[in-house]
Amino acid sequence: MKNAFAESRPFLMLSLLFGISYFFVKDSNIPGVFLIAWKGAGVGWLAVYALTRLHRLDGKIVGAIMALGAIGDMALEFDLVLGAGAFMIGHLVAILFYSRYRRHRLGFSQKMLAIIMVPLSVFIAWTLPSDRSEAIGVGIYCLSVAAMAAMAWTSRFSRYQVGTGAMMFLISDLLIFARMGPLETSVIPDLLVWPLYYFGQFMIATGIVRTLRHEMAADSADPVQG
């Protein structure tokens, strides 16, 4: 365990360094290209973490999900549609990934939460933009992130880590949409959007990697598995 932590620590520390510090520099006078790279580095290092800690297809998939998130973070600074497109592709990949790790038994309340979460989130997102011409696009995008969060919640990864992280991602996006309407002049989105998003991604990446590594270690120690 100590060796595993030592191997992953540099990438997680770099992710935390860039992810946390970006919140404090995002409104500074740092030249745009450097600030954009700074923004992408937080989740970008999570992609490296996943690729180096899971030496199999799962690592490549989780790494791709995080990389698409980092690309989306940076692309949003150039074009909202391009950035949203990168995130949507990442959400679709994540949905397929979580479908491979479905939880076999779900409590009634957990199942209902996952079922209600998607249409309710999409409806809320659709109602938020003041410019109603943007409502359909916002709703379509929210469908992808809400479905991703629902799949993460119903997966066999920890709800306290991966499931909660995905929920934080969803709430962060809903706050972005709220900034297009009722919270346009509020400081709440400025204070919460980035922390919810970044730490949500951090919880997702670390939760998946640690779960799968524990399972790999258990399989290798099982004499039936060789």
Side-chain angles (χ1 to χ4, degrees):
M1 292 297 294
K2 289 183 179 179
N3 289 336
F5 181 71
E7 291 175 15
S8 62
R9 181 166 52 188
F11 305 120
L12 292 182
M13 291 300 292
L14 283 167
S15 173
L16 287 167
L17 173 65
F18 283 101
I20 294 173
S21 61
Y22 176 74
F23 178 79
F24 298 99
V25 303
K26 59 186 177 69
D27 297 318
S28 67
N29 294 322
I30 296 174
V33 64
F34 296 106
L35 195 58
I36 291 169
W38 198 323
K39 183 182 183 184
V43 176
W45 281 112
L46 292 178
V48 178
Y49 162 76
L51 289 169
T52 56
R53 298 302 293 145
L54 287 176
H55 302 292
R56 62 185 198 184
L57 179 60
D58 287 328
K60 294 180 175 61
I61 295 174
V62 179
I65 293 169
M66 293 296 132
L68 285 163
I71 292 169
D73 288 334
M74 295 183 288
L76 284 174
E77 302 300 316
F78 298 100
D79 184 272
L80 290 177
V81 175
L82 186 62
F87 275 115
M88 285 186 71
I89 294 171
H91 297 328
L92 293 175
V93 174
I95 289 168
L96 293 173
F97 176 76
Y98 292 130
S99 69
R100 298 173 55 203
Y101 293 97
R102 296 297 302 277
R103 190 179 294 267
H104 297 302
R105 294 183 180 180
L106 282 174
F108 177 77
S109 61
Q110 303 298 336
K111 187 180 297 185
M112 290 305 298
L113 175 61
I115 291 172
I116 294 171
M117 183 194 313
V118 177
L120 180 61
S121 299
V122 171
F123 175 74
I124 292 172
W126 178 80
T127 65
L128 290 174
S130 298
D131 183 350
R132 301 311 298 158
S133 66
E134 298 176 329
I136 293 178
V138 164
I140 292 172
Y141 172 80
C142 189
L143 176 62
S144 71
V145 66
M148 179 277 294
M151 291 297 289
W153 189 257
T154 56
S155 73
R156 59 182 174 83
F157 298 110
S158 169
R159 288 199 187 103
Y160 296 105
Q161 192 165 0
V162 177
T164 300
M167 292 287 196
M168 290 166 63
F169 195 145
L170 173 60
I171 295 170
S172 173
D173 277 350
L174 288 175
L175 284 172
I176 291 175
F177 304 145
R179 190 160 53 193
M180 301 165 66
L183 297 184
E184 183 177 4
T185 60
S186 172
V187 299
I188 293 175
D190 290 335
L191 292 176
L192 295 182
V193 166
W194 180 258
L196 284 170
Y197 163 74
Y198 170 71
F199 285 109
Q201 290 279 54
F202 187 90
M203 292 169 68
I204 290 170
T206 55
I208 292 173
V209 169
R210 287 169 183 169
T211 296
L212 294 181
R213 282 190 62 82
H214 288 161
E215 292 181 358
M216 290 166 59
D219 289 343
S220 64
D222 188 343
V224 175
Q225 298 293 329

